[in-house]
């Protein structure tokens, strides 16, 4: 990582100029505790924020349009020269409730599957679970996340994030993908990671950029009730349901069980052709 410099021609001196550090942020409820500090002005003089769905976050990071992003975990295998911000992620210890496969038939009978184009990790996870856990390999179609359209010509549909939380599930079989992974492996599932490009600018701040990610999450935890109040207006769940979601269904800590789960997920993803090669996890 390097910080650019410019020359002041009037006095001949060379002065440092801080390049804006560009961050691509997932603007979903499950990411809000991680994003909270950034969205409320933390390090405002350093950061330029861009808000996207997970798939676009990954594309921007790959293209060099941003320096860091909260990316779908599978994208760590697909984008070269990344490092993971240690200790932070979006994971589910057991049941996530916002990444679901909604089906008109039993899981083993799913022959056609509509996939939410907003996601990439969940798209891979759904297919791994159906192939290895339920022994079916449906024809898949990527679509916009509109459940009526998705199920009009498909046996099942994958939805993620706030859309999945709002959707009417009546009359449909619901597979919670994190719950399915836990039942199969006994491990939490990691949906997203903070990742930083190797050529990202260095910050003129003690410890560089990493402390800001942790401080942003700290502020999110301290303001969890504010997050709930804001989400209550738009999601349609009760405040207690939202509180349980953010504090029980989700975890934002990347510990040893999460790393073990990532390793297993990466191994299976490569084996099934969803990524070209496996890669050791490198951390900041």
């Amino acid at each position: 990582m390097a910080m650019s410099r410019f020359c002041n021609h009037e006095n001949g001196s060379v002065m440092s100029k801080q390049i804006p550090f560009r961050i691509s942020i997932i603007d979903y409820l499950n990411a809000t505790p991680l994003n909270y500090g950034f969205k409320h002005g933390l390090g405002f003089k350093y950061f330029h924020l861009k808000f996207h769905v997970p798939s676009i976050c990954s594309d921007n990071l790959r293209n060099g349009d941003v320096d860091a992003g909260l990316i779908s975990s599978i994208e760590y295998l697909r984008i070269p020269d990344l490092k993971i911000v240690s200790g932070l992620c979006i994971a589910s210890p057991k049941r996530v409730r916002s990444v679901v496969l909604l089906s008109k038939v039993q899981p083993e009978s799913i022959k056609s599957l509509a996939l939410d184009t907003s996601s990439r990790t969940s798209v891979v996870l759904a297919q791994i679970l159906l192939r290895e856990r339920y022994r079916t390999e449906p024809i898949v179609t990527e679509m916009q996340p509109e459940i009526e359209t998705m199920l009009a010509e498909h046996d099942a549909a994958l939805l993620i994030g706030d859309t999945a939380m709002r959707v009417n599930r009546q009359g449909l079989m619901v597979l919670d993908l994190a719950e399915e992974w836990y039942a199969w492996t006994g491990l939490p599932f990691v949906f997203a990671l903070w990742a930083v490009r190797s050529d990202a600018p260095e910050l003129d701040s003690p410890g560089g950029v990493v402390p800001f990610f942790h401080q942003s999450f700290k502020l999110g935890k301290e303001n969890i009730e504010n997050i709930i109040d804001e989400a209550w207006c738009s999601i349609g769940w009760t405040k207690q349901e939202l509180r349980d979601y953010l504090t029980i269904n989700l975890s934002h800590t990347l510990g040893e069980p999460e790393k073990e789960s990532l390793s297993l997920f990466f191994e299976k993803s490569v084996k099934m052709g969803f990524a070209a090669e496996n890669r050791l996890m490198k951390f900041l």
Side-chain angles (χ1 to χ4, degrees), residues 139-184:
I139 297 170
V140 299
T141 306
E142 291 190 352
M143 300 183 67
Q144 292 298 313
E146 298 169 351
I147 190 64
E148 292 83 4
T149 304
M150 296 170 91
L151 290 180
E153 297 182 359
H154 297 84
D155 294 328
L158 170 69
L159 291 176
I160 73 162
D162 297 2
T163 301
M165 297 173 75
R166 296 188 187 104
V167 71
N168 183 358
R169 308 177 183 190
Q170 188 173 0
L172 298 171
M173 175 167 287
V174 180
L175 291 184
D176 183 298
L177 294 197
E179 192 170 36
E180 290 290 315
W181 177 263
Y182 178 82
W184 189 35

Side-chain angles (χ1 to χ4, degrees), residues 173-227:
M173 175 167 287
V174 180
L175 291 184
D176 183 298
L177 294 197
E179 192 170 36
E180 290 290 315
W181 177 263
Y182 178 82
W184 189 35
T185 68
L187 293 168
F189 189 78
V190 180
F191 289 97
L193 303 161
W194 278 123
V196 180
R197 287 175 58 94
S198 61
D199 59 357
E202 292 189 10
L203 297 194
D204 184 18
S205 176
V209 72
V210 172
F212 285 100
F213 290 107
H214 288 274
Q215 180 65 14
S216 181
F217 176 51
K218 180 175 182 292
L219 291 169
K221 289 191 294 183
E222 292 172 354
N223 289 276
I224 198 72
E225 291 303 318
N226 291 336
I227 295 172

Side-chain angles (χ1 to χ4, degrees), residues 32 36 39-40 225-235:
T32 301
Y36 192 89
K39 291 174 70 174
H40 289 79
E225 291 303 318
N226 291 336
I227 295 172
I228 291 167
D229 287 343
E230 291 178 7
W232 178 70
C233 299
S234 60
I235 297 296

Side-chain angles (χ1 to χ4, degrees), residues 30-210:
N30 60 14
T32 301
L34 294 176
N35 298 335
Y36 192 89
F38 291 123
K39 291 174 70 174
H40 289 79
L42 176 67
F44 67 92
K45 68 179 181 179
Y46 298 115
F47 301 115
H48 178 65
L49 308 181
K50 300 184 178 185
F51 298 89
H52 302 106
V53 298
S55 55
I56 302 301
C57 281
S58 300
D59 290 343
N60 284 343
L61 195 62
R62 177 185 295 106
N63 298 335
D65 295 328
V66 295
D67 304 299
L70 190 54
I71 63 169
S72 295
S73 54
I74 188 64
E75 294 296 286
Y76 180 74
L77 296 184
R78 298 170 173 172
I79 304 173
D81 299 323
L82 295 182
K83 288 189 177 180
I84 299 167
V85 175
S86 61
L88 298 174
C89 67
I90 299 176
S92 177
K94 187 174 181 180
R95 175 174 175 248
V96 69
R97 299 165 69 197
S98 60
V99 181
V100 293
L101 195 153
L102 304 177
S103 180
K104 298 182 291 187
V105 300
Q106 294 294 319
E108 58 272 16
S109 299
I110 295 174
K111 302 301 180 185
S112 58
L113 174 63
L115 299 172
D116 186 340
T117 55
S118 305
S119 172
R120 290 193 179 144
T121 288
S122 302
V123 161
V124 173
L125 176 60
Q127 292 178 85
I128 288 175
L129 289 169
L130 288 175
R131 288 188 198 181
E132 293 211 358
R133 186 161 165 77
Y134 291 103
R135 304 301 176 186
T136 184
E137 190 169 343
I139 297 170
V140 299
T141 306
E142 291 190 352
M143 300 183 67
Q144 292 298 313
E146 298 169 351
I147 190 64
E148 292 83 4
T149 304
M150 296 170 91
L151 290 180
E153 297 182 359
H154 297 84
D155 294 328
L158 170 69
L159 291 176
I160 73 162
D162 297 2
T163 301
M165 297 173 75
R166 296 188 187 104
V167 71
N168 183 358
R169 308 177 183 190
Q170 188 173 0
L172 298 171
M173 175 167 287
V174 180
L175 291 184
D176 183 298
L177 294 197
E179 192 170 36
E180 290 290 315
W181 177 263
Y182 178 82
W184 189 35
T185 68
L187 293 168
F189 189 78
V190 180
F191 289 97
L193 303 161
W194 278 123
V196 180
R197 287 175 58 94
S198 61
D199 59 357
E202 292 189 10
L203 297 194
D204 184 18
S205 176
V209 72
V210 172

